[in-house]
Every structure is written in C-alpha cells, then in structure tokens.
Amino acid sequence: MSPATSGYADLAREIRRLGLQRRRPGFYAIVLIANLMTLGGVVTAMAFVRDS
C-alpha cells in the first residue's frame, strides 16, 4: 500500500469515527424552510414593487 493510499484510509477512518458523514435531516429541514420563507419574501416584495 502506498503512503497516499494509507493516508486516505486513515483520514476516511477518522471521519467515520467522528461521525462527520452522518445524515442530518433536521438541518436540511431548517434550510428548506428558510429558503422557502426567503422565496416568499422576495415574491411578496416583487408584487409590492410592481404595484407601486
């Protein structure tokens, strides 16, 4: 095994051990809600500007 492969394997093991690749559905739900609220705000602002 070359040093580069060994380094990658060690890094991959460490990342899995720390749980850095866990799924985080709550985070994605919050981001989705924030994006939808922002979109709603932009659409509302555009409607008000268009009517003025």
Side-chain angles (χ1 to χ4, degrees):
M1 188 180 312
S2 70
T5 305
S6 175
Y8 175 78
D10 293 339
L11 179 61
R13 242 188 320 280
E14 183 70 10
I15 287 171
R16 279 192 296 275
R17 185 183 72 77
L18 293 172
L20 297 177
Q21 291 184 314
R22 282 191 336 248
R23 296 184 191 272
R24 293 174 174 82
F27 169 76
Y28 292 112
I30 290 170
V31 169
L32 176 65
I33 290 168
N35 282 330
L36 289 174
M37 289 176 64
T38 302
L39 176 63
V42 168
V43 169
T44 301
M46 289 173 66
F48 280 124
V49 168
R50 184 171 143 211
D51 290 338
S52 62

